Amino acid sequence: MNAGGPAARLHIDWTRCDGRGLCTELLPEALGRDEWGYPVAAPGRVRSGRDATDVPLTGAELAAAMDAENLCPLLALRIIRP
Amino acid sequence: MDDAMWAFARVSGLLDMVLLTGSVLLGILARSGRPLLAIPRVSVTLLHRNISLLAVVFLVFHVVPLLFDSYAQLNLVDVVVPFLGSYKAFWQGLGTVSLDLMAAVVATALLRRRLGTRTFKAVHWLSYAMWPLAMAHSMGNGTDGTSAPVVAAAIVLGVAVLAAVAWRVSAGFLETAAARRAGNARNGWTRP
Ligand code: SF4
């Protein structure tokens, strides 16, 4: 993450997500999967105390994040631009 | 000229039988959340979408030439309203119903973001009705529908879809099924 802060954030709607794993494939550096398959922010991505459902993205990850937003089968992802 | 149209329609129809089956199989696989060997989940989903759109293209190639065919005598009403055709009206009608279902499934899939997942899903389930209707139409209406190679192909495709559906309703279908069952058992939960 550069000094200027994240290029955008990826909001995960946990009430919709079913852990199908498309987003974790597209954003391997930003997201990991928990043991039930649900996406979680990669270690160190979200500072403790911050909302873990808004994962900071680098500028280089934006294109992949947009693909994830479009392909998520449950429409559980939304990119929040600063 | 007439013969060329008719031959083109036949070939497109047979090809669409394969494409539609591929689309259904890939859709079931995508729903499982599993990758296909070395093919990642994202690619499985994209393949499902693109093969489905290709099936739409070949459906156009199948239907449009028949509008100009003096034997099939298809008119624009027959394309959307079933069972009025002049040639094997019943079997042609099954094709028409399946075309209507396909139009609904594809339109709602393309408008998924606007419609929301609930509507999209409900309509997408119609695929399971569309596929057998399309297969029945191919065999009952097609000039080659009961020829040995087409029957053999239909059996292979049919067995593949039946196996996929059996897998679809089995307990271990989801990639995460085992982990979630174990988690629920640990917490003393049962399936709602
Ligand atoms: S692609 Fe969508 S449903 Fe799948 S894990 Fe990501 S957010 Fe959840």
Side-chain angles (χ1 to χ4, degrees), chain A residues 16 18-26 33 35-38 68-75 77, chain B residues 30-31 33 35 40-43 45-46 49 112-113 116-117 120-121 174-176 179-180 183 186:
Chain A
R16 287 170 170 270
D18 191 37
R20 304 277 182 78
L22 267 81
C23 55
T24 39
E25 267 179 1
L26 285 164
R33 286 184 102 185
E35 60 176 306
W36 296 285
Y38 292 101
E69 188 185 35
N70 279 319
L71 288 173
C72 170
L74 294 150
L75 304 179
L77 299 173
Chain B
R31 177 64 182 80
R41 299 169 186 84
V42 177
S43 313
T45 294
L46 288 174
R49 186 179 77 183
R112 190 171 68 107
R113 309 213 118 241
T117 37
F120 158 72
K121 251 183 165 173
L174 288 180
E175 185 194 27
T176 48
R180 289 182 190 178
R186 199 159 57 229

Side-chain angles (χ1 to χ4, degrees), chain B residues 129-154:
Chain B
M130 178 207 66
W131 181 83
L133 287 172
M135 291 299 280
H137 161 76
S138 307
M139 310 210 52
N141 211 165
T143 315
D144 324 283
T146 43
S147 69
V150 174
V151 172

Side-chain angles (χ1 to χ4, degrees), chain B residues 18-41:
Chain B
V18 178
L19 288 170
L20 274 183
T21 305
S23 159
V24 168
L25 293 175
L26 284 163
I28 292 175
L29 179 65
R31 177 64 182 80
S32 78
R34 291 171 195 270
L36 177 62
L37 305 174
I39 305 174
R41 299 169 186 84

Side-chain angles (χ1 to χ4, degrees), chain A residues 45-67:
Chain A
R45 266 293 159 133
V46 183
R47 257 170 286 148
S48 52
R50 282 280 209 139
D51 188 358
T53 60
D54 287 336
V55 182
L57 299 169
T58 65
E61 286 164 351
L62 259 184
M66 278 158 70
D67 286 344

Side-chain angles (χ1 to χ4, degrees), chain B residues 63-109:
Chain B
V63 172
V64 171
L66 293 176
L67 293 171
F68 303 99
D69 182 78
S70 59
Y71 198 60
Q73 288 187 10
L74 200 65
N75 60 44
L76 284 172
V77 175
D78 293 330
V79 174
V80 284
V81 184
F83 308 120
L84 300 177
S86 53
Y87 175 70
K88 295 193 186 174
F90 172 72
W91 297 109
Q92 190 189 91
L94 296 186
T96 308
V97 175
S98 116
L99 179 145
D100 291 339
L101 294 178
M102 189 162 158
V105 168
V106 172
T108 49

